[in-house]
Amino acid sequence: MTSETPDPRLRAWAPVCQAVALLLGPYAEVVLHDAARDEVLAIWNPMGGRGPGDPSLLGELDALDQAAPDVYGPYPKLLPDGRRLSSVSAVLRDEDGRPAAVLCVNLDRGPLEHAAALLAAFAAPTAPRPEPLFEQDWTERMNEVIGGYVRAHGRPLRRLGREDRLAVLRELDRAGVLAVRRAVPAVARALEVSRSTVYTLLAELREEPGTPGTPGTPGAAGTPDASDAPDAPGAPDGPETPAPPALPAD
């Protein structure tokens, strides 16, 4: 093969290398190594000053198991200027199964880390919450309990099962939320379930030994206030109908 004759490996793989380099822009170095000569065959977006013909310093590729995966990574690398890279290497084999070239993609993690740090810092809380402003806000306590359970268990609301909801209601009862007038409809909305489901679960809690609150007392666990009574089947949520005025005594 003369210098005027392009390397067949370049004809075969250069378009792929160039496509990756164009997609990832200046943040990814793409290198095609000559496995036989152990030198750089071609390079796109060079980061470390290497060029075609420079030593590749590859290991003994023939020692690799042909049955093993030919793609390795992502693994970490470090440049002299301190930039951290995530790298992937792929062994490209010829028709006989021998290593013909090695394709390496080195991605500069710096821009991604800076973007992640910016997003993490954007509007991040930097001061403690002023508790006097929220000590009477039972909805905040409700949100803390339900949202905390969701985050701690890594399951969205729609995937919470019966035991999950019972556990949440126990915590809400300990936090005093269930003793608040009109709390049950709000809890049902927050849990994305019907009020009848909440009442059924509260009835189960009332039968548990050691449940906080006194059964029969308005606001105790499983014993709703009269204003929290569940709607009739199929009735939409809405304002309650006021009771008729009492008749005057004779």
Side-chain angles (χ1 to χ4, degrees):
M1 181 177 64
T2 65
S3 58
E4 291 79 13
T5 305
D7 190 305
R9 293 169 298 182
L10 280 177
R11 289 202 307 268
W13 296 318
V16 176
C17 298
Q18 186 175 8
V20 173
L22 288 173
L23 177 64
L24 300 180
Y27 306 115
E29 175 187 68
V30 182
V31 189
L32 190 62
H33 298 279
D34 186 330
R37 298 183 179 183
D38 192 26
E39 64 182 27
V40 175
L41 188 60
I43 188 169
W44 293 260
N45 298 335
M47 292 183 181
R50 292 182 296 178
D54 288 343
S56 295
L57 305 178
L58 298 174
E60 294 295 331
L61 298 181
D62 289 335
L64 294 174
D65 185 358
Q66 293 190 16
D70 280 337
V71 179
Y72 302 90
Y75 52 85
K77 293 179 68 175
L78 192 65
L79 292 179
D81 59 10
R83 282 181 291 173
R84 296 196 300 171
L85 310 176
S86 288
S87 301
V88 175
S89 295
V91 179
L92 308 177
R93 299 182 181 272
D94 60 19
E95 296 178 353
D96 298 322
R98 294 188 299 267
V102 176
L103 170 63
C104 294
V105 180
N106 303 310
L107 180 65
D108 184 358
R109 293 173 53 185
L112 298 177
E113 292 173 344
H114 294 157
L118 177 62
L119 292 174
F122 182 73
T126 57
R129 188 174 69 173
E131 292 302 331
L133 293 180
F134 297 96
E135 60 184 1
Q136 301 298 324
D137 191 345
W138 61 270
T139 61
E140 285 289 332
R141 298 200 302 273
M142 178 187 70
N143 293 339
E144 288 287 338
V145 169
I146 299 176
Y149 189 93
V150 168
R151 291 181 65 85
H153 292 78
R155 288 193 295 276
L157 289 169
R158 64 181 179 276
R159 293 186 58 191
L160 295 183
R162 172 181 165 278
E163 292 300 325
D164 295 312
R165 290 167 182 156
L166 283 171
V168 169
L169 290 176
R170 290 189 196 99
E171 290 300 319
L172 289 173
D173 194 39
R174 294 190 187 99
V177 172
L178 298 181
V180 177
R181 178 182 173 88
R182 298 297 296 165
V184 170
V187 169
R189 287 192 297 270
L191 287 174
E192 299 181 2
V193 297
S194 66
R195 277 190 268 182
S196 60
T197 296
V198 174
Y199 284 112
T200 300
L201 295 173
L202 287 175
E204 294 185 38
L205 284 184
R206 185 174 56 180
E207 301 300 325
E208 293 182 353
T211 300
T214 304
T217 302
T223 308
D225 194 355
S227 63
D228 285 345
D231 295 330
D237 293 348
E240 298 176 349
T241 302
L247 295 176
D250 291 340

